[in-house]
Amino acid sequence: MARYVQTVPAPPDPYFGDRLLRSWLDRRLGPDGHAAAAPRLAALATDVTGPLRAAHADAEAHPPTLVRYDGWGARIDRIETSAGWRTQRAAAARHAVVALPYLPQARATWGAAARVVQHALLHLYGPESATFSCPVAMTDGAAALLTRPEVDPAVRDQWLPRLTSTDPERVVFSGQWMTESQGGSDLSRSSTVARPAADGSWRLTGEKWFCSAADSALAVALARPEGAGPGSRVLAPFLVPRYAADSPLAGPGADPVAPAPGITLHRLKDKLGTRALPTAEIGLRDAYAWPLGDPAQPGLARAMTLVVVTRLHNAAAAAAGMRRGLAYARAYADARQVAGGRLSGAPLHRATLGSLAVDTAGAFVLAGHAFGLLGQVDVGADPAAALELRIVAPLAKLATGRLAVAAASELVECFGGAGYVEDTGIPRLLRDAQVLPIWEGTTNVLALDVLRAIIRDDAAVPLLGRLDAATDAARPLHPGLADTLASGTAELRAALAEVTATPEADGVVAGARGLALRMAYLLAGALLVEQAAWGDEAAEVAARLWARRRLRGGDIAADAHHELDLLC
C-alpha cells in the first residue's frame, strides 16, 4: 500500500488575495494613490512568496549564535546570523519597509498617507520575515526619534540617512536597549548611568537585560544622566554605536565586525519564539554614546516617540500574522479530505475559519487606523490626530496582541497533528505570537497607560466622537449594529466618568484591562463600520459579526459559516 502524503497548496498571493487590504487601500489612498502603490506592493508580495519565504525558513532553521572568543582567546563577541536573515535584511531595505514614510518622493505622492502604504508593506513583509520585522520596527522608531528638532543635527545627519536608506549596502538597522533585570517595565528602577565626556559625547555604564536585534549597527538606550534624580521621567535616550568601526573610541581602521569598546555581549537569549532574532544581555562600561536631545531635560517623553512607533509595528505584526496564518489554514482546508469531502466544506470548520476571519479584520483595522493617525502627526503635526493616537496606540497594541495569541492557538489546531510538528512550520505561529502581548508593554502595562491617557490627556474625547459618528453611519447599514454601538458607547461613557471621578480607586485600577479591551473592541467595530459605509460589503459583514461576538458576547458560528467565502 502506498504511503499517503498530504499535499498543502501555497496560499494566495498575499497582496492580490487579500480583499480587505486592497479595499482598505482603495478607501484610504483613493484610486490614484492605490494605483501608485500597487507596483511596489505587488513586487514585495512576489518576493514574499518566493525568495523571502525560503529565506524565512533558512533563518528559522539556523538561529543566531554568539562567538565569544577567537582561536587565540581574544574576546570578540561576534553574532553570526544565517544567510536567510541577511536576505531579509536586504529585502527590508530594498522594498523601503522602513524608509518609505521618510522618502520625499513618497510624501509627495501620498502625503500623510505614506504611513498607510508603509502599513501595507509591513502587512505583506512581516509574517514570513523570520521576525526581521522586529529590527524594522525599532529602526523606524529610531528614525522617528532622530527627526525630533531637539536632536543634534550632526547626529541626525550622520545616522538618519543610513537608517532610511533603500540601499542594502548602506542601510543600518537599530536595536533598543531599555529594560534592565531589576526593573523590567518599571523604568524608574533603571540604573544605567550616563556621564558627559569632554568632546560633547557621553559614556554609558550599566547592564541591559533584553536587547533585541543585538546584531544591529546601533541601538537607542535609556540611561540616567549623572546627577539626575530618581524616577523614570529624567531618563534620557542615547544613540550607541554597536560596532568598533562607528565608535570614535576605537580609532581608525577598527574591525567592522568587532564590538565597540565598552560593549560586552553576555549571552543570547534562548526564547520561546522569535528564534531567528538575536536578542542579548549586554553590559556597558563607558560605552560611547550620543545624546538624542538635551540630557539635562527629562527625556522619557522623547523616548516615547520611538515607543509609539514600535507599538504600532507590534499591532501590524499581530494583524498580519493572523491574516497569513488564516490564509495557510484556508489553503489546507481546501486540500484536506475529511468525512467524504473537503475540510473547507464542513460547516463546523467553516464556522471556525469564518470566526477567525472576523477577528483578523478587527485586528487589521485597528493597526491600519493607528498608522493613518501616525502619518497625520508626521506630516501635518495634526494635534487632533496626535491626541487620538495617544490612546489608539496602546489600545491597538494590547488588543491585537491578545487577538493574535488566541488566533494562533486556533490556527495551529486547524491543522490537527500536523500543526504540532515543528518541521511543518505551523507551531512557529503560536511561538512567535506569544511575544506580541509582551514586547513594548504587557497588556496590564498598556491598560494603565490607557488610564493615564484618559485622565491626564483627555484622550478619550476623540475616540468617543468616532464612536458616535460610526453609530450614525451604521443606521442605514444595519439598525441592530447601530444599536449595539450606541449601547456600548453609552456604557463606555459611564465607565469613563467613573475613571475621571475616582482615578486612583482600586476598582478603577483593577478594571483597567477590561476597560481598555472594551474600548479597543468598540473602536474596531467603529472602524469596520467606516469601511463598510464606504461600500465594502465584506467589512459590513465583519462589522456585524464583530459587534455580535466582541461587543455582545454572542455566537456567530452560523453566519461565520455562511459568510466565509466573502470574509476570507
Side-chain angles (χ1 to χ4, degrees), residues 31 44 52 70 95 142 214 244 251 293 358 438 463 467 508 550 554 565:
L44 176 54
L52 294 186
D70 69 10
H95 290 285
V358 171
I438 297 172
L463 182 66
L467 294 175
V508 168
R550 293 294 173 185
D565 295 328

Side-chain angles (χ1 to χ4, degrees), residues 290-430:
W290 292 279
L292 299 176
D294 182 358
Q297 300 299 317
L300 188 61
R302 290 196 302 279
M304 286 303 295
T305 297
L306 182 156
V307 172
V308 167
V309 171
T310 53
R311 284 177 176 176
L312 267 55
H313 277 258
N314 196 98
M322 292 170 71
R323 183 65 185 90
R324 193 68 53 82
L326 179 61
Y328 272 100
R330 178 65 195 268
Y332 177 78
D334 286 340
R336 182 68 173 168
Q337 287 277 354
V338 293
R342 300 286 182 189
L343 182 57
S344 59
L348 181 56
H349 196 71
R350 288 179 62 84
T352 300
L353 293 176
S355 297
L356 286 166
V358 171
D359 281 354
T360 298
F364 175 84
V365 296
L366 282 170
H369 177 59
F371 270 86
L373 291 173
L374 179 61
Q376 293 173 51
V377 175
D378 281 348
V379 172
D382 184 337
L387 182 60
E388 187 174 359
L389 183 61
R390 171 65 185 92
I391 199 166
V392 167
L395 288 178
K397 192 277 182 185
L398 72 86
T400 57
R402 298 197 64 78
L403 287 168
V405 173
S409 178
E410 194 73 76
L411 286 163
V412 167
E413 189 176 343
C414 285
F415 291 86
Y420 204 66
V421 178
E422 281 289 351
D423 54 11
T424 65
I426 305 303
R428 184 192 61 79
L429 295 174
L430 185 55

Side-chain angles (χ1 to χ4, degrees), residues 121-523:
L121 291 170
L122 293 167
H123 191 71
L124 300 175
Y125 174 79
E128 292 171 282
S129 67
T131 58
F132 201 89
S133 52
C134 175
V136 161
M138 293 185 291
T139 302
D140 192 2
L145 183 52
L146 281 168
T147 63
R148 291 181 64 106
E150 59 266 48
V151 171
D152 183 344
V155 176
R156 181 188 304 119
D157 292 346
Q158 179 177 352
W159 289 101
L160 184 59
R162 298 175 69 189
L163 288 166
T164 58
S165 176
T166 58
D167 179 357
E169 299 301 319
R170 183 171 185 248
V171 73
V172 295
F173 288 85
S174 177
Q176 185 173 305
W177 302 352
M178 295 195 180
T179 57
E180 301 176 8
S181 58
Q182 75 278 5
S185 61
D186 181 7
L187 295 177
S188 67
R189 300 183 66 191
S190 296
S191 60
T192 298
V193 175
R195 299 195 322 273
D199 64 355
S201 65
W202 288 63
R203 305 291 182 268
L204 304 190
T205 297
E207 296 289 331
K208 294 299 184 179
W209 186 78
F210 205 90
C211 303
S212 285
D215 60 331
S216 296
L218 61 99
V220 175
L222 277 182
R224 191 178 305 278
E226 193 173 49
S232 61
R233 291 178 182 271
V234 297
L235 297 175
F238 292 83
L239 191 153
V240 183
R242 162 75 172 81
Y243 294 107
D246 292 313
S247 173
L249 296 180
D255 183 350
V257 298
I263 295 178
T264 301
L265 274 66
H266 297 310
R267 63 169 178 158
L268 292 183
K269 298 288 193 180
D270 184 8
K271 297 165 293 178
L272 170 67
T274 65
R275 292 176 178 174
L277 171 68
T279 305
E281 293 180 25
I282 293 179
L284 304 173
R285 297 292 181 273
D286 288 329
Y288 193 94
W290 292 279
L292 299 176
D294 182 358
Q297 300 299 317
L300 188 61
R302 290 196 302 279
M304 286 303 295
T305 297
L306 182 156
V307 172
V308 167
V309 171
T310 53
R311 284 177 176 176
L312 267 55
H313 277 258
N314 196 98
M322 292 170 71
R323 183 65 185 90
R324 193 68 53 82
L326 179 61
Y328 272 100
R330 178 65 195 268
Y332 177 78
D334 286 340
R336 182 68 173 168
Q337 287 277 354
V338 293
R342 300 286 182 189
L343 182 57
S344 59
L348 181 56
H349 196 71
R350 288 179 62 84
T352 300
L353 293 176
S355 297
L356 286 166
V358 171
D359 281 354
T360 298
F364 175 84
V365 296
L366 282 170
H369 177 59
F371 270 86
L373 291 173
L374 179 61
Q376 293 173 51
V377 175
D378 281 348
V379 172
D382 184 337
L387 182 60
E388 187 174 359
L389 183 61
R390 171 65 185 92
I391 199 166
V392 167
L395 288 178
K397 192 277 182 185
L398 72 86
T400 57
R402 298 197 64 78
L403 287 168
V405 173
S409 178
E410 194 73 76
L411 286 163
V412 167
E413 189 176 343
C414 285
F415 291 86
Y420 204 66
V421 178
E422 281 289 351
D423 54 11
T424 65
I426 305 303
R428 184 192 61 79
L429 295 174
L430 185 55
R431 287 191 285 102
D432 286 356
Q434 188 59 65
V435 77
L436 295 167
I438 297 172
W439 192 55
E440 297 304 343
T442 63
T443 306
N444 284 356
V445 167
L446 289 163
L448 294 175
D449 190 38
V450 169
L451 282 187
R452 288 191 293 272
I454 294 167
I455 296 162
R456 298 178 186 174
D457 304 313
D458 213 11
V461 171
L463 182 66
L464 290 169
R466 188 170 295 278
L467 294 175
D468 288 338
T471 299
D472 292 340
R475 291 281 174 208
L477 294 174
H478 194 278
L481 172 59
D483 290 343
T484 298
L485 283 175
S487 174
T489 304
E491 292 173 1
L492 176 60
R493 278 193 165 91
L496 292 173
E498 182 181 356
V499 168
T500 54
T502 57
E504 297 181 2
D506 286 349
V508 168
V509 178
R513 175 192 285 230
L515 175 64
L517 285 170
R518 193 188 332 166
M519 294 175 76
Y521 293 162
L522 277 165
L523 175 59

Side-chain angles (χ1 to χ4, degrees), residues 535-556:
D536 187 329
E537 180 186 2
E540 191 272 330
V541 171
R544 282 195 293 105
L545 300 187
W546 174 273
R548 190 189 309 166
R549 185 183 197 190
R550 293 294 173 185
L551 303 183
R552 300 206 321 251
D555 187 349
I556 64 171

